[in-house]
């Protein structure tokens, strides 16, 4: 659980006007009592009216309300557009989450701002992304999260097929085309695999440990370096 989410949950548990011990909060949130003590101090420092002390318990004075969630017009447009794009081009799980996010955003907006959600006239038609492709996105995302080594049946641009064991590192979307960034054990190097050229993806049962030399950050650094080199060579060629 993110710390921001934990702080929110602490406020929610204390809203009933009853004494709650740090031990009880720690058990509910699956953290140590020391973590709860630090969180309570931080909440008190921001003005949340929590009374009590370590070893006794905490209670929140009545009358405290979390401020309503406020977005500017541009922020609402950005959130709605982003959610619509994810619904159109994301995986199955992403699509469901984007739909739920839109419902939640609209629910917490003030009445005067709710109409902006439906009034946003920016769309992303989901033409050409089949259910199988969405499921493959989900499977790649799950493998990335679990750091699971996967086996791919892959076809390159010349339709030559190969089997690859890959450490999946990230997913990049290029507009209609998703690519899986990973460390290819066959090539012993970074590779990008177009999802529409993956005919089969299966788990190998292996799990890889984080490695700075084989990380998404290192891949991004190398890509940036290559791009800067390309720009320099292009500039020299034009002089």
């Amino acid at each position: 659980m993110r710390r921001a989410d934990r702080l929110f949950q602490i406020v929610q548990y204390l809203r009933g006007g009853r004494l709650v011990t740090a031990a009880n909060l720690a058990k509910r949130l699956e953290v140590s009592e020391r973590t709860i003590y630090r969180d309570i101090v931080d909440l008190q420092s921001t003005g949340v009216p929590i009374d009590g002390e370590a070893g006794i318990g905490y209670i929140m004075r009545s009358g405290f309300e979390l401020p309503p969630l406020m977005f500017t017009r541009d922020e609402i447009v950005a959130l709605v557009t982003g959610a619509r794009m994810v619904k159109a081009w994301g995986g199955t799980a992403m699509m469901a989450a984007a739909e739920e996010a839109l419902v939640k955003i609209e629910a917490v907006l003030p009445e005067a701002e709710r109409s902006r959600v439906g009034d946003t006239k920016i769309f992303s038609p989901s033409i050409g992304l089949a259910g199988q492709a969405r499921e493959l996105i989900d499977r790649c995302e799950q493998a990335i999260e679990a750091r699971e080594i996967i086996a791919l049946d892959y076809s390159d641009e010349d339709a030559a097929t190969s089997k690859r064991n890959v450490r999946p590192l990230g997913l990049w979307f290029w507009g209609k085309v998703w690519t899986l960034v990973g460390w290819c054990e066959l090539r012993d190097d970074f590779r990008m695999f177009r999802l529409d050229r993956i005919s089969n993806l299966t788990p190998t049962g292996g799990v890889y440990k984080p490695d700075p030399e084989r990380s998404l950050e290192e891949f991004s650094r190398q890509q940036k370096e290559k791009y800067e080199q390309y720009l320099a060579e292009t500039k020299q060629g034009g002089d």
Side-chain angles (χ1 to χ4, degrees):
M1 179 185 293
R2 297 181 308 164
R3 185 167 185 271
D5 294 331
R6 189 174 68 246
L7 293 176
F8 177 81
Q9 289 297 329
I10 290 173
V11 172
Q12 294 298 94
Y13 287 137
L14 295 175
R15 285 166 67 92
R18 61 185 181 279
L19 194 70
V20 181
T21 66
N24 185 271
L25 290 170
K27 182 178 180 181
R28 290 188 180 188
L29 298 170
E30 299 180 343
V31 294
S32 68
E33 290 184 42
R34 180 172 295 182
T35 296
I36 295 298
Y37 294 145
R38 287 198 300 264
D39 289 345
I40 292 291
V41 170
D42 288 343
L43 286 168
Q44 290 172 329
S45 69
T46 62
V48 179
I50 299 174
D51 295 325
E53 59 182 282
I56 297 177
Y58 298 95
I59 189 171
M60 189 166 65
R61 295 192 299 273
S62 62
F64 177 76
E65 296 290 342
L66 291 173
L69 189 61
M70 293 294 292
F71 296 110
T72 66
R73 178 193 177 280
D74 288 343
E75 288 170 343
I76 294 173
V77 171
L79 289 168
V80 172
T81 302
R84 287 176 178 173
M85 291 182 68
V86 171
K87 284 177 60 180
W89 296 102
T92 304
M94 292 184 203
M95 181 173 60
E99 179 66 34
E100 183 63 23
L102 283 174
V103 172
K104 289 182 178 179
I105 290 170
E106 187 172 2
V108 299
L109 285 174
E111 187 67 33
E113 301 296 328
R114 289 181 186 175
S115 61
R116 294 192 187 279
V117 175
D119 289 344
T120 300
K121 305 302 182 186
I122 304 176
F123 300 94
S124 182
S126 55
I127 300 173
L129 193 62
Q132 185 176 359
R134 292 186 186 275
E135 292 174 5
L136 186 57
I137 294 170
D138 287 346
R139 292 174 68 187
C140 287
E141 184 192 13
Q142 291 162 5
I144 293 167
E145 182 70 19
R147 294 208 272 295
E148 183 179 37
I149 300 173
I150 54 177
L152 304 180
D153 290 338
Y154 190 72
S155 301
D156 64 18
E157 60 184 351
D158 297 321
T161 60
S162 61
K163 292 184 178 293
R164 311 286 187 96
N165 279 7
V166 175
R167 301 182 181 193
L169 302 173
L171 283 166
W172 287 17
F173 182 59
W174 300 89
K176 295 185 67 175
V177 175
W178 282 91
T179 56
L180 172 67
V181 178
W183 181 267
C184 177
E185 297 191 344
L186 178 65
R187 305 302 184 194
D188 197 30
D189 200 356
F190 293 109
R191 287 292 187 272
M192 297 183 72
F193 302 94
R194 285 182 49 157
L195 264 61
D196 58 348
R197 294 178 180 168
I198 297 174
S199 59
N200 190 40
L201 182 156
T202 55
T204 65
V207 176
Y208 66 89
K209 295 181 179 179
D211 182 348
E213 299 300 318
R214 301 177 180 181
S215 64
L216 188 61
E217 292 74 18
E218 175 61 18
F219 172 79
S220 298
R221 187 195 67 77
Q222 291 184 16
Q223 292 297 109
K224 181 180 179 182
E225 188 176 86
K226 290 177 183 178
Y227 180 66
E228 290 174 345
Q229 182 179 354
Y230 166 78
L231 289 179
E233 292 174 352
T234 301
K235 184 178 180 180
Q236 290 177 358
D239 290 341

